[in-house]
Amino acid sequence: MSTRTWTQLAVVAAVIFVIVSFIRSCNSAPAQDQLFGTLSMLRADMDQIVHTGGRVISYDNNSKTTFSRVYLLLTADAGGRARELSAKYQDSLLSRGWTPAGSSIDGLRFCKQGATASVRASQDEQRIAVGMVFDAASISTCRRHAVN
């Protein structure tokens, strides 16, 4: 075979790889109706956390529009009692149907309907952060947790 033939085969193989990868990523990403339904659930659960205590410093309520991901990020002033407030936030999540999914770099992790939530207290006990995400990665994380 000539070099040109090998080059053409390599290009065809690369195109097939890209197409298969694109189709697989589209299949694993949540549908738009799932995103909006889950966003509503996340907002209700985060509102419950906000009412649990702490002074809200920042709250990103899915402000950046994305195609296949929804998220909420809360930072609260814990007034030197971040561990106590973290426990209250975790109890709030558990009472709303979230299940423990171990810990991660972001702190303690929970799953609910394919979404993940993390609760993390700062080292100085002054701040606490809560993040909630629903996307293909969170769905995969929660599936792995459910199997284990």
Side-chain angles (χ1 to χ4, degrees):
M1 285 188 164
S2 69
T3 304
R4 182 179 173 161
T5 304
W6 282 111
T7 304
Q8 289 172 341
L9 286 174
V11 168
V12 169
V15 168
I16 290 171
F17 176 77
V18 168
I19 290 171
V20 168
S21 297
F22 178 75
I23 290 170
R24 290 186 80 192
S25 70
C26 288
N27 286 339
S28 64
Q32 290 298 308
D33 61 333
Q34 284 180 294
L35 290 172
F36 293 123
T38 302
L39 180 58
S40 177
M41 180 266 300
L42 294 179
R43 285 179 174 156
D45 291 355
M46 188 68 87
D47 285 345
Q48 182 67 35
I49 286 173
V50 168
H51 288 91
T52 302
R55 184 179 58 83
V56 174
I57 297 171
S58 67
Y59 183 24
D60 187 343
N61 191 349
N62 200 56
S63 62
K64 184 177 179 183
T65 304
T66 60
F67 176 68
S68 60
R69 178 178 193 249
V70 294
Y71 67 95
L72 301 176
L73 302 171
L74 169 76
T75 304
D77 181 352
R81 53 186 190 92
R83 288 191 184 150
E84 176 187 331
L85 194 55
S86 176
K88 287 182 179 181
Y89 286 1
Q90 293 168 42
D91 288 344
S92 179
L93 289 170
L94 292 170
S95 73
R96 297 193 59 92
W98 291 81
T99 58
S103 59
S104 69
I105 296 170
D106 295 333
L108 295 176
R109 189 182 326 190
F110 299 85
C111 285
K112 181 179 177 182
Q113 299 173 11
T116 57
S118 64
V119 179
R120 180 175 38 110
S122 66
Q123 292 291 339
D124 63 2
E125 291 285 312
Q126 295 302 313
R127 291 198 169 96
I128 187 164
V130 179
M132 295 179 173
V133 177
F134 179 67
D135 60 10
S138 70
I139 292 169
S140 176
T141 296
C142 291
R143 280 185 187 147
R144 276 195 317 270
H145 169 70
V147 171
N148 295 330

